[in-house]
Amino acid sequence: MKIPELTPRMMRDWLLEEDSARLEQLWYMANFVRERKVGQDVFLRGLIEFSNRCARNCTYCGLRAANGDIARYSLSERDMIGCVGVALELGIGTLVMQSGEGVALETEQLLRFFRFVRHEKKMALTLSVGELSDVEFLAFREAGVNRYLLRFETSNKALYNHIHPAKKNCVEGNQKNGNHTDSDRIRMLRKLRELNFEVGSGVMVGIPGQTVDDLVNDLLLFRELDLDMVGIGPYMPHPETPLALEFEDHKSSYVCSNRELLTYKMIALTRIILPDANIPSTTALATLNREHGRVLGLQRGANILMPNITPQEYRSEYSIYPEKAGTSMGPDDSYAAAVSAIAQAGRTVGAGKGDSLRYLARKGNH
Ligand code: 5AD
Ligand code: SF4
């Protein structure tokens, strides 16, 4: 089968397509490319939400500094080492360490933990702690962190600025990078590439005010940045955040009201334009459609799942949006849910680290 080169016009037409028989063609193409380029394996990443502290005030996220309704926590080093043991027992070769931004990092302690994971346990290590300075990126790279996730959230600059208040409006002590603007993140993503990270980014689908043309531009930016990993999830309104009020005004718009279907379309189109990238079927998708979201993501282009291995007692406090899938589970159940979704999708659990083939191809190792 010959997969057509997708023009922006074709991307737009697919995003607007509502005929389910025609959409079968899109799912078929994405699944075909996925199978041919990254095969049947679904790789598992053990997600550790190691701190819910955050200095920022993104208007969509429940962890924003202004939300006083959650108990803030940071895992101890001992807890984190416990998570490593859990991951290894489950046969998971990659950890994804995620937290809020700016106030969660005891850098020296983290660097020690990262060296332990990489050099003693020989696992792959992904960090997702928001915007950092070049010096910090370098220090983490030197400690062995080999992958970094930083979603640009939307390529529409005005919308980006609208949902990301300037840093000067955020809590004290986190003003070192100046204003929180989109160009920062694009520059940082290029810097991460320069530092030889596997680079991941992504967007939310269904942000109030987002348009189909914005989504086309998101796809073009994925391609321009030549990403190794792309995470795409639906926007989920959180009642304790300002953006939830705006959602009320926009919820019948095409993008907001179709955000589950648009998320599948974005995953499928991303697979077609970046055939060998790693693309997760995201937790937000599994939250919006509890029964089928995870599996449909895998069947429409995704090849990664990120079972949560954070100790259960902390999970309800990592509430970036309400009723996040997996909140009432422990690591074993989250792992079992992932394995079950992989079986339902007719696929196999990948062994090993599951490096991005895109990254390896760029390095000339593949
Ligand atoms: N709905 C969906 N995704 C969200 N994120 C944060 N808040 C929400 C929300 N309300 C996503 C962002 C961020 C990642 C950590 O979680 O894309 O990059
Ligand atoms: Fe903090 Fe990230 Fe949430 Fe923004 S999206 S408030 S940086 S945790």
Side-chain angles (χ1 to χ4, degrees):
M1 182 167 134
K2 180 105 180 71
I3 307 293
E5 184 75 12
L6 285 177
T7 61
R9 177 61 201 260
M10 289 157 81
M11 295 175 193
R12 187 172 193 280
D13 288 347
W14 278 121
L15 293 172
L16 290 167
E17 181 61 62
E18 297 198 30
D19 181 278
S20 53
R22 289 217 54 207
L23 280 172
E24 286 303 323
Q25 286 177 37
L26 177 62
W27 313 142
Y28 185 86
M29 282 193 293
N31 202 43
F32 177 85
V33 172
R34 188 272 308 153
E35 185 169 352
R36 207 180 46 173
K37 291 291 180 175
V38 295
Q40 291 294 84
D41 279 345
V42 176
F43 286 93
L44 297 178
R45 316 303 193 198
L47 174 65
I48 307 178
E49 295 165 335
F50 70 93
S51 173
N52 67 353
R53 298 212 160 89
C54 188
R56 306 301 280 268
N57 263 319
C58 308
T59 62
Y60 47 88
C61 173
L63 303 191
R64 66 201 306 271
N67 183 9
D69 274 6
I70 52 173
R72 303 286 172 168
Y73 72 85
S74 296
L75 294 192
S76 66
E77 197 164 2
R78 179 198 284 248
D79 279 335
M80 295 199 297
I81 290 171
C83 293
V84 173
V86 168
L88 290 172
E89 260 172 46
L90 294 171
I92 295 176
T94 298
L95 292 183
V96 177
M97 302 283 300
Q98 194 164 72
S99 75
E101 190 177 310
V103 290
L105 298 176
E106 292 289 348
T107 306
E108 272 316 308
Q109 184 195 330
L110 275 182
L111 290 173
R112 193 165 64 223
F113 174 74
F114 295 156
R115 286 189 203 103
F116 162 78
V117 172
R118 285 289 283 161
H119 301 138
E120 285 185 41
K121 299 300 175 189
K122 314 282 182 212
M123 300 175 86
L125 192 47
T126 307
L127 194 58
S128 177
V129 299
E131 299 179 19
L132 296 176
S133 67
D134 293 356
V135 173
E136 289 165 312
F137 284 139
L138 181 62
F140 287 125
R141 186 72 191 93
E142 284 178 344
V145 176
N146 58 325
R147 302 174 183 161
Y148 202 93
L149 299 177
L150 181 65
R151 288 188 180 182
F152 61 76
E153 314 293 0
T154 173
S155 55
N156 177 328
K157 289 183 189 186
L159 183 60
Y160 181 94
N161 290 335
H162 179 62
I163 63 178
H164 295 98
K167 276 190 173 176
K168 56 182 159 31
N169 296 334
C170 298
V171 302
E172 287 286 326
N174 188 41
Q175 297 172 12
K176 60 190 170 201
N177 295 333
N179 278 354
H180 192 161
T181 65
D182 59 323
S183 54
D184 282 345
R185 288 203 185 180
I186 305 306
R187 191 197 62 75
M188 283 177 207
L189 289 164
R190 295 190 204 282
K191 184 70 194 178
L192 288 162
R193 164 65 37 77
E194 227 178 274
L195 293 173
N196 201 19
F197 283 93
E198 274 183 47
V199 180
S201 191
V203 295
M204 290 185 292
V205 176
I207 305 168
Q210 196 176 35
T211 65
V212 166
D213 288 317
D214 292 336
L215 296 175
V216 171
N217 287 329
D218 293 347
L219 291 165
L220 297 176
L221 190 50
F222 294 161
R223 186 156 65 186
E224 189 194 322
L225 292 168
D226 194 22
L227 297 171
D228 303 310
M229 310 179 278
V230 186
I232 300 162
Y235 163 65
M236 306 291 286
H238 185 303
E240 296 304 322
T241 61
L243 203 63
L245 293 175
E246 290 181 39
F247 185 75
E248 282 306 303
D249 296 335
H250 286 84
K251 67 182 176 200
S252 54
S253 71
Y254 183 78
V255 172
C256 290
S257 62
N258 286 289
R259 64 201 207 286
E260 182 186 349
L261 186 59
L262 279 169
T263 300
Y264 300 127
K265 291 177 181 176
M266 287 292 284
I267 289 176
L269 293 166
T270 302
R271 172 57 67 201
I272 296 168
I273 61 172
L274 291 173
D276 49 4
N278 279 336
I279 302 176
S281 183
T282 51
T283 307
L285 194 50
T287 304
L288 192 54
N289 180 344
R290 290 198 174 249
E291 221 177 320
H292 305 297
R294 214 176 252 128
V295 175
L296 287 174
L298 290 178
Q299 290 172 334
R300 295 171 175 178
N303 70 323
I304 302 285
L305 285 176
M306 295 173 46
N308 195 330
I309 59 167
T310 312
Q312 191 178 343
E313 67 250 47
Y314 298 106
R315 288 200 190 181
S316 59
E317 304 302 340
Y318 207 87
S319 49
I320 50 184
Y321 46 81
E323 294 172 34
K324 200 165 113 233
T327 302
S328 59
M329 293 178 185
D332 290 351
D333 289 338
S334 294
Y335 174 80
V339 171
S340 151
I342 294 170
Q344 278 180 59
R347 306 266 279 284
T348 45
V349 179
K353 298 194 184 75
D355 280 314
S356 163
L357 298 181
R358 178 135 211 96
Y359 175 83
L360 295 178
R362 191 178 315 100
K363 300 265 124 206
N365 292 340
H366 199 74

